[in-house]
Each structure stands twice: as structure tokens, then as C-alpha cells.
Amino acid sequence: MLVFAASDKGGTGRSVTSANIAFRRALAGDDVCYLDFDFGSPTAAAVFDVPSVMGGIGQGGLHSYLQGQAHEPVRLDVWAHTEHRALRHRPVGSGHLVLFPGDRSGGEFAVGNDSVIRCIDLFLRLHSEFDVVLVDLSAGRSYAVDLALEVTARPELHGVGARWLIHHRWTRQHVIAASGFAFGPRGILSGGVARGHDVEELRGSMRFVRAAVPDPETPPWSLAPPAQSAWMRTCDQELHRLAADRGVGYSAMLGSVPLEPVLQWREQLITDEDVLSSQVAGPETLKAFQDLAGKLTDDDAWGMP
């Protein structure tokens, strides 16, 4: 299955959430690969704690491959290359977890037919090798998003399952932006239909992921002074109404990630050790990532028979 992680804005938690979903699927035994298609800022390796490619790889990354400058893109076994102390030994029963980094000196580039052909070939080969192929796209209406829509519309990929996760924070600006990015005049849906996608099929493959969501009913928010607490609850209710009106409400949401202090300070994988041993991360955050990973291939969560 191909899974595209997209967002209209930066700072939505797209990469850190996607990396944690990939991590959780690998822990469950799936073979997973993560493609850093954030061409303007290929820094996903920082979440996996792979120091040699924190800001992208020197040469031979996805930029090089898609532009015909490399025969194969570099792939890194996360279990072997990470410096995360809890992951230095591959967990028993886990599947492969492979990172495809972008080029350090890359950047956005126009999508030509040669790039499309190389991308089709790459996706087909990875689809046959891995259970989940997670593609982290550049924020906004980017060349990376155009490439993903173009490639998945081609007949060669018919029959290859593809799903879109659109990430946003729980604020008015982000809810409005996510809705426009999905359903607006230059959004994913209209861009996909223009390239030959079936409108209902593409719409059905899209779900929203909310990040950094505070719960007014739990500490520390529930401990706020009465006036502040009432204001937060009102804001939360207004956001729910706005999200429903904009088509990104509960029925279109795959899941949400709570406001997690660890992720505000450091974009990282949340391990069981972080919750159970060191207790630096909240159990709600771990459960949110586990739930998202499980729903990724749960047809009921996608409204499919």
C-alpha cells in the first residue's frame, strides 16, 4: 500500500506523525519504507535519529534518482543506522524499517515525464517489496504533491492501493487551510481529477490527522482558572463546528495526536520506554500513534466494504 502524508502548512506534525506510524507498523511485523519526498527540506532522518543524513544525504538520494542522476536511490536500514538508544537492536518480531532520504542540496524541481516514469518504477518495485510505502510530501501545493497525483493516476498503478493522510493542527487557520488543500480549486481533489483520478475514489482515499490537540477536560488544561477554562471549551466547540462545516470533521478524520510536550521540544519516535520507563511521554500519545497505525489499513476506518 502507498500512503501519502501531506499538509498545506508546515509545522503540522506531518513528518513526526508519519515516522511514528511507520515505526509502529514495523514493530507490528510489517515491512515498511519511508520516502522523504519533502524536497525543500528533507529532514525526516532526524525523527529516526539517523545522524549521517539528518539534513538529507550528500548524493544519491531521491532527488538524484528522480532526476536521472542516480540509478538507484540510497536506502538505509533504520534499525542498523539509528542512534536512538532504544532501537539499536532490532526488536524481536519486527519487520524491516527502511529510510529513503532526499538529497541535502536538493530542493523543489519541476515534474517532467522522465521523473514520472522513474517514480512509477520506484513505487511499483517498493509496493512489491514492502507492506507499507509511506511517502512524506513537501508542504503545500508542491511539485512533490503534483508528482504523487500524476503517478497514481497512471494506468501502471491501477490496482495499487493508495491513501492520503492530510495533517493539520487544531487551530482555525490550520482547519481552513487543510480543507482548502483537500477540496479547494487547486487542491488535491481537483488536481487529481484533472490528472484522471475518479473523484469519488480519490475522495474516499483521503483522511485527516489532527496534531497537537489539547483536551480541555484533562490536566493541565482542566486546572486553568474558570474563565480561561470556559474560553478553551468554547474555542474547542467552535473548532469542531468549523471542521464539520469544512468537510474535515469527525467522519473524515482518521485520528488525532494530543499536545505532547516531548514532541514540542524534540521531533522523535515515541517508544514504549519513553512512556513506561523514563515516563517522559504521555501514554495518550503512544496510544494515538498505535491507533493511527492500526487504522491505516482498517477498511472500516476508511468506509470501505
Side-chain angles (χ1 to χ4, degrees):
M1 173 176 288
L2 301 176
V3 179
F4 296 99
S7 66
D8 191 47
K9 291 178 173 288
T12 61
R14 183 193 69 247
S15 294
V16 71
T17 301
S18 300
N20 272 280
I21 290 174
F23 172 55
R24 286 288 144 191
R25 294 297 302 223
L27 285 180
D30 285 333
D31 291 330
V32 182
C33 67
Y34 186 106
L35 278 63
D36 194 345
F37 267 47
D38 189 348
F39 295 135
S41 181
T43 57
V47 185
F48 292 104
D49 272 344
V50 181
S52 60
V53 290
M54 286 284 196
I57 197 164
Q59 59 183 358
L62 288 167
H63 294 79
S64 298
Y65 170 75
L66 291 171
Q67 295 181 87
Q69 299 164 7
H71 180 65
E72 286 288 334
V74 171
R75 59 167 67 193
L76 298 171
D77 183 337
V78 173
W79 304 126
H81 288 86
T82 184
E83 288 198 355
H84 195 301
R85 58 190 178 85
L87 306 179
R88 287 173 184 162
H89 302 287
R90 180 174 169 179
V92 176
S94 65
H96 293 291
L97 182 57
V98 177
L99 170 67
F100 287 75
D103 290 78
R104 188 176 302 129
S105 58
E108 290 282 350
F109 58 90
V111 176
N113 191 55
D114 288 346
S115 297
V116 170
I117 291 171
R118 292 188 189 95
C119 193
I120 290 172
D121 179 67
L122 180 65
F123 283 175
L124 287 174
R125 287 189 287 119
L126 295 181
H127 174 69
S128 68
E129 182 180 353
F130 293 91
D131 299 299
V132 177
V133 179
L134 205 155
V135 187
D136 181 10
L137 302 169
S138 307
R141 293 153 173 82
S142 63
Y143 287 125
V145 173
D146 289 344
L147 179 61
L149 288 170
E150 180 69 36
V151 167
T152 51
R154 293 296 181 97
E156 295 93 326
L157 266 76
H158 287 178
V160 175
R163 292 179 174 177
W164 289 76
L165 298 183
I166 302 171
H167 298 255
H168 66 90
R169 295 175 68 90
W170 193 227
T171 72
R172 284 193 299 180
Q173 286 192 43
H174 279 265
V175 168
I176 293 168
S179 176
F181 182 55
F183 308 123
R186 295 181 57 247
I188 291 174
L189 197 60
S190 63
V193 170
R195 290 169 171 84
H197 283 275
D198 176 80
V199 62
E200 294 305 323
E201 184 176 330
L202 182 56
R203 186 190 297 272
S205 72
M206 297 162 57
R207 288 293 183 274
F208 296 85
V209 178
R210 299 173 186 170
V213 180
D215 183 357
E217 307 301 328
T218 62
W221 318 107
S222 61
L223 303 178
Q228 189 178 55
S229 179
W231 179 83
M232 288 190 293
R233 287 179 172 83
T234 299
C235 286
D236 191 55
Q237 292 167 2
E238 291 175 348
L239 281 172
H240 279 287
R241 285 194 291 270
L242 177 65
D245 291 343
R246 296 274 177 163
V248 299
Y250 183 78
S251 63
M253 184 181 72
L254 190 68
S256 65
V257 181
L259 186 60
E260 170 58 63
V262 168
L263 299 181
Q264 302 304 304
W265 288 97
R266 192 169 188 266
E267 294 163 316
Q268 67 171 59
L269 300 179
I270 299 295
T271 66
D272 292 10
E273 181 181 275
D274 293 325
V275 174
L276 302 175
S277 181
S278 66
Q279 299 184 356
V280 297
E284 298 84 2
T285 305
L286 177 63
K287 185 177 186 305
F289 287 140
Q290 291 172 331
D291 288 348
L292 281 167
K295 289 178 180 178
L296 197 62
T297 50
D298 181 355
D299 288 343
D300 287 341
W302 294 82
M304 297 181 181

